[in-house]
Amino acid sequence: MQRLIVALLASLDAAIAAAVGLALVLAPFTLLWVLAFGIDADWGALWPVTGSLWQLGHGVPLEVVLPDALMSSLGISKEAARFALSVPPLALLIFTLLFAARSGRRAAVAGRWVAGAAGGAIAFSVLSAGVALTASSDVLRAPLTAAIIIPAAVYAAGILAGGITHAWSEGDDGPIDRLRDVVDGWGEWASVPGEAVRGAAVVVVALTGASAVGIAIMTVLRGGEVVALYEAAHVDVLGAVMLTIGHLAYLPTLIVWAASWLAGPGFALGTGTSVSPAGTELGVIPGIPVLGLVPAHASIWMLVSVLVPIACGAVAGWMVRSRLVWERTADGHAPRAAIAVGIAALSAGAAALAAVLASGSIGPGRLAEVGPAVGPFALAIGIEVLIGAGILLLAPRHRDELAEERTDRWNEEMAGLTAPID
């Protein structure tokens, strides 16, 4: 397929991704506008709010400036009239990443992943600039440069990941194939980069699943506290629905917090606070219902949670080891140790990126410091994954494993001999 056609199709994908993301924000707020303010509402304020929240969902920090009339009616001090809001609802960011990765993969299937990535990234940048220039608001303010660059960078990262991943596995008759030829010339070290990436992906998926299970368990154990906070908020049905939608949008963010708790460093819910297996130190926290899931007390037995990231690293090591045994590559200890270190380093990098996205400010004063600390979270994940992956990758090969390998090889050879010849 011609480069221009692929670029145009990728641009269309970018437009659809931006439109769907904006619609996901616009739809509930339109319902809120109609039910709360009626048809005589100020519809001109709906688009700036939608655009600003779409930007926040892609990681753009916002500055909230509350009007004086609202401050007087609520009895809030002037010091709280201006604050930063920089903890994004990662559900929207993940949607954009996945949509972009799908577009990048389709461009790679067409054999023009570079043109597709360029077309999609440019189109999304233009749309992001359009939102930034038209969605300005006196209440929600975003830096213009960040409002344009950050959403575009999110989409570009997704489309490049999708295109390069497919090109690496299937070939592209271009730069990726040339790079693979260089890597294939490394002998027994040739499998190190690919297996490290594959193992890190296993760790991320496994740790995400374990963190989601942890949130589900806490929902069962502390669901009463969540319900009590809903009741204390004194919201009607519409307010409860909007709160629930907000909680769902922030669910991936909460999963990052849960992963940091499982790894040991935990997270903060305000300056000078800490929520971790070693202990919980909280002051006054906002009455957001989902925060009722935070354990009120800690026990020394909760430190067992650090075994979860170790187990995730072990699963990755086991899966990578099985591939290495089957393909008869990286038999030496040095390449396998390099793979284990690569898995740990990439997992730590993913944890650091997740912590950057899931931490920041959610309000004035002490609420300016919320979420996991980047350094401790990344370091803990790196060490724990290295332990789990290293044990599985560097353990001596058992005779049962060797026997199973010989049996698999024999079955494969017999299947090849008995296959019908056309």
Side-chain angles (χ1 to χ4, degrees):
M1 189 176 293
Q2 295 181 354
R3 290 184 177 87
L4 179 59
I5 296 177
V6 173
L8 291 175
L9 291 175
S11 300
L12 179 61
D13 281 342
I16 293 174
V20 172
L22 287 166
L24 291 174
V25 181
L26 182 62
F29 275 97
T30 301
L31 179 62
L32 174 65
W33 242 250
V34 171
L35 296 180
F37 305 112
I39 60 174
D40 296 328
D42 181 12
W43 292 97
L46 184 58
W47 170 247
V49 172
T50 299
S52 296
L53 293 181
W54 181 82
Q55 293 165 352
L56 175 65
H58 288 87
V60 179
L62 300 179
E63 182 184 21
V64 180
V65 182
L66 300 178
D68 294 337
L70 179 62
M71 299 293 294
S72 301
S73 62
L74 297 178
I76 302 176
S77 63
K78 292 184 178 181
E79 289 77 10
R82 185 187 296 263
F83 59 89
L85 181 61
S86 57
V87 179
L90 292 180
L92 187 57
L93 184 147
I94 292 173
F95 164 78
T96 300
L97 276 175
L98 294 178
F99 203 104
R102 177 174 172 269
S103 178
R105 183 182 182 279
R106 291 200 300 185
V109 170
R112 296 287 186 267
W113 69 269
V114 176
I122 292 173
F124 202 88
S125 299
V126 172
L127 294 169
S128 178
V131 173
L133 293 172
T134 59
S136 59
S137 170
D138 293 332
V139 177
L140 298 175
R141 303 174 182 177
L144 181 60
T145 303
I148 296 174
I149 292 177
I150 294 178
V154 170
Y155 192 87
I159 199 170
L160 284 173
I164 292 175
T165 299
H166 185 272
W168 183 269
S169 60
E170 302 296 334
D172 67 340
D173 296 327
I176 299 300
D177 279 348
R178 291 193 291 271
L179 178 61
R180 287 212 62 169
D181 290 340
V182 173
V183 174
D184 289 341
W186 293 354
E188 65 175 359
W189 294 85
S191 59
V192 171
E195 298 304 327
V197 173
R198 185 175 290 106
V202 172
V203 170
V204 170
V205 172
L207 186 57
T208 299
S211 302
V213 170
I215 291 177
I217 293 173
M218 293 306 298
T219 301
V220 174
L221 296 178
R222 295 184 58 82
E225 284 76 4
V226 175
V227 173
L229 287 173
Y230 264 106
E231 294 173 346
H234 299 294
V235 293
D236 55 9
V237 175
L238 178 60
V241 170
M242 295 301 292
L243 275 175
T244 303
I245 292 175
H247 289 166
L248 292 176
Y250 272 94
L251 181 58
T253 307
L254 299 176
I255 288 176
V256 176
W257 293 9
S260 184
W261 190 92
L262 291 174
F267 55 92
L269 283 176
T271 304
T273 65
S274 175
V275 181
S276 71
T280 299
E281 298 180 5
L282 292 176
V284 179
I285 61 175
I288 303 173
V290 73
L291 296 183
L293 300 179
V294 175
H297 305 286
S299 169
I300 191 64
W301 295 104
M302 288 184 176
L303 290 173
V304 179
S305 66
V306 299
L307 294 177
V308 174
I310 294 176
C312 293
V315 170
W318 172 72
M319 295 184 70
V320 170
R321 178 181 176 132
S322 299
R323 268 182 75 91
L324 295 178
V325 169
W326 177 255
E327 296 178 356
R328 294 179 178 177
T329 57
D331 290 331
H333 284 86
R336 294 195 176 196
I339 293 174
V341 171
I343 293 173
L346 291 174
S347 300
L353 179 60
V356 169
L357 293 172
S359 60
S361 171
I362 62 172
R366 58 195 301 271
L367 295 180
E369 185 178 336
V370 172
V374 177
F377 183 29
L379 182 61
I381 289 294
I383 293 174
E384 291 158 6
V385 168
L386 180 61
I387 293 172
I391 290 174
L392 267 293
L393 282 169
L394 299 177
R397 298 176 66 184
H398 194 268
R399 56 188 178 186
D400 292 341
E401 181 184 4
L402 296 173
E404 182 179 0
E405 178 188 353
R406 288 194 294 269
T407 302
D408 291 340
R409 294 291 179 186
W410 184 84
N411 290 335
E412 182 184 19
E413 292 173 0
M414 291 299 101
L417 292 175
T418 58
I421 300 176
D422 296 332

